[in-house]
Amino acid sequence: MASPAAPPCSPDASPAMEAQAALPDHLTEDILLRLTTAADLARASMAGPSLRRVVADHSFLRRFRTLHPPPLLGVLSDPFLPAQPPHPSAAAARTLAGTDFSCSFLPSRDQPWILHDFRDGRALLCIAPITDDHCLVRDVAVCDPLHRRYLLLPPVPQDLSDLLFHLDPFLAPAGGDEGADDTAAGAPSRFKVMCLAQYQTRLVLYVHSSSGPHAGQWRAVAFDGWTALLAGVSVHVLSAVTVGKRYYAHGCFCWVVCAMDKLLMLDTATTEFSTVDLPSDLMNHELAFVEASQGRLGMFALSQTPTHRVPRLRYSILVSTGDDDPGQWQKKKVVKLSHDHRYRIIGVAGVYLLLYVVTDDPEPYHPDKVPDPGCCFSLNLHTMDLERFSRNSDIMPLQDQLYSGFPPYLSPPTI
């Protein structure tokens, strides 16, 4: 059916106003979706009420965020560390001033709420009482810091009959629930919380969905291949086999299995586990995993050995020839870093890898050592360019979370 004719414009109307009045909403959306940054979209929304109405629509914002990865705006330390000029994200980061990222609006408890993860505008906070043999996660809250909203979840049903080595609660990407329509009106408010528990003899994933057939409940998914993975490990190495820092790429979470040249993969759509072999020459390297092109997995290896202490970032991608091919890591690029500094990888968010710089540290390098306060550089994953993110900031790179998102005016409530 043809679109209704637009009302005639007055003779005094400018050509831009006349064109805007005659343009259907779906064409306006297609044009706005071609804008590359949130700042461009914000400026366009100020051009008139009809554009503001289109931009403010939740379905449009969802489409825009799908096409344009959210920028890295800061680090959720205490206080919030925003991107600073001349970084491209600095202007958007300024709009977050005064945001209560500590979520002090949560109900008080005997022990403090601890931030564990941030994704899609939501923060995951937990209270983890430590017992003699276990580190439990009891109180769990999903919060929207920008709109001061929260939802309390039931306790994670951890098994106390087996020794618990490692517990990693985190947020999964929004949507993707079984049988759910991602275009539905309530889709932006859907979320998943997951908790990876490594017991002495088992690896179990606990999953809580806000929608779908298991809404409001925790369900357990065991990794059947965990016992087989450990079968060839010697007894003296077994106690060092733990899962490391978590990364996300192309619908999968991944963890390096420490003391083994293995990468543990979790498909969030199927909640199935698998493993990928890692190169054997990664001793004294810090690793980070990113989304490479064509749905592939990319890996950065930060080399900083105690002998020559010349830092460099080696970038490789996992290439496979078919479904049965586990893939091989192909080296693609080496990013040289200044030899005057030492670096630590803070994490990956949006299209950036964030590096923490240590400027003055005469002590020998140790991979578990938390460096003195320094500054941060971001590596653009598309251009491989290093940009100063912030300077002279007191952060704890092994504990803080990265804030990747859009300014408040482009962020409708997520809870």
Side-chain angles (χ1 to χ4, degrees):
M1 184 174 64
S3 302
C9 294
S10 66
D12 298 330
S14 66
M17 291 180 61
E18 182 176 354
Q20 178 179 329
L23 199 62
D25 280 356
H26 72 278
L27 292 181
T28 302
E29 289 186 13
D30 288 342
I31 294 172
L32 293 175
L33 288 174
R34 297 175 185 270
L35 298 176
T36 56
T37 68
D40 293 336
L41 186 62
R43 285 190 287 268
S45 69
M46 299 171 63
S50 61
L51 288 177
R52 283 197 296 273
R53 174 176 53 79
V54 172
V55 171
D57 184 77
H58 288 193
S59 62
F60 170 80
L61 290 176
R62 185 172 176 81
R63 291 177 63 194
F64 185 86
R65 291 193 296 266
T66 300
L67 294 174
H68 306 282
L72 172 61
L73 301 185
V75 182
L76 296 176
S77 57
D78 188 15
F80 176 68
L81 170 65
Q84 299 172 2
H87 196 273
S89 299
R94 283 197 297 268
T95 65
L96 300 173
T99 302
D100 183 8
F101 287 112
S102 65
C103 299
S104 61
F105 47 85
L106 280 170
S108 60
R109 295 289 189 266
D110 294 336
Q111 294 174 295
W113 291 95
I114 304 298
L115 177 67
H116 281 269
D117 198 14
F118 186 91
R119 183 180 297 276
D120 296 329
R122 304 179 187 90
L124 177 66
L125 292 92
C126 305
I127 293 178
I130 300 177
T131 67
D132 292 338
D133 298 324
H134 295 82
C135 179
L136 308 177
V137 171
R138 302 305 299 171
D139 295 84
V140 181
V142 178
C143 303
D144 182 339
L146 294 183
H147 298 90
R148 298 181 65 84
R149 299 183 180 187
Y150 70 89
L151 181 65
L152 297 179
L153 274 57
V156 181
Q158 295 134 119
D159 184 359
L160 303 183
S161 63
D162 197 358
L163 183 62
L164 184 61
F165 286 157
H166 177 82
L167 201 64
D168 182 18
F170 56 97
L171 287 159
D177 291 320
E178 300 87 349
D181 179 10
D182 284 349
T183 62
S189 298
R190 291 205 303 261
F191 62 87
K192 282 183 181 179
V193 177
M194 297 181 174
C195 186
L196 185 68
Q198 181 191 348
Y199 295 95
Q200 187 173 23
T201 59
R202 298 171 296 133
L203 192 71
V204 180
L205 179 74
Y206 298 99
V207 183
H208 181 285
S209 299
S210 65
S211 61
H214 303 286
Q217 307 172 25
W218 288 99
R219 59 188 180 94
V221 180
F223 176 31
D224 295 333
W226 185 248
T227 302
L229 185 66
L230 301 181
V233 180
S234 60
V235 175
H236 72 278
V237 176
L238 192 59
S239 60
V241 178
T242 57
V243 292
K245 191 171 182 178
R246 166 181 23 88
Y247 287 93
Y248 176 81
H250 296 306
C252 291
F253 286 100
C254 55
W255 299 261
V256 173
V257 183
C258 302
M260 301 178 68
D261 294 330
K262 297 287 185 181
L263 186 68
L264 178 69
M265 304 288 295
L266 169 66
D267 189 322
T268 59
T270 63
T271 61
E272 294 180 352
F273 288 97
S274 61
T275 58
V276 173
D277 290 333
L278 291 174
S280 58
D281 60 344
L282 297 178
M283 181 77 68
N284 296 321
H285 285 67
E286 286 187 70
L287 303 181
F289 298 88
V290 301
E291 294 185 342
S293 60
Q294 300 178 350
R296 293 170 173 171
L297 181 65
M299 176 180 66
F300 281 97
L302 174 60
S303 171
Q304 202 162 221
T305 64
T307 53
H308 50 78
R309 298 182 67 173
V310 177
R312 65 173 188 169
L313 270 174
R314 187 178 75 192
Y315 179 59
S316 307
I317 61 173
L318 185 66
V319 178
S320 62
T321 57
D323 295 337
D324 297 330
D325 179 15
Q328 299 290 327
W329 292 99
Q330 294 186 0
K331 298 177 184 179
K332 291 295 183 180
K333 187 176 180 62
V334 174
V335 180
K336 296 182 179 179
L337 305 173
S338 171
H339 67 276
D340 296 328
H341 308 308
R342 293 196 294 104
Y343 300 78
R344 297 298 303 270
I345 294 176
I346 300 181
V348 177
V351 296
Y352 288 104
L353 171 77
L354 195 60
L355 295 169
Y356 182 86
V357 182
V358 185
T359 55
D360 298 308
D361 188 358
E363 298 297 324
Y365 172 76
H366 190 279
D368 296 327
K369 184 178 184 294
V370 177
D372 295 330
C375 58
C376 295
F377 280 83
S378 63
L379 178 71
N380 188 308
L381 302 180
H382 290 166
T383 63
M384 294 295 177
D385 291 333
L386 275 174
E387 301 168 299
R388 184 180 290 275
F389 187 81
S390 65
R391 63 179 70 229
N392 300 326
S393 300
D394 188 3
I395 65 172
M396 297 290 285
L398 298 184
Q399 300 175 9
D400 296 322
Q401 302 288 334
L402 302 186
Y403 184 97
S404 177
F406 292 98
Y409 51 80
L410 295 179
S411 302
T414 60
I415 296 177

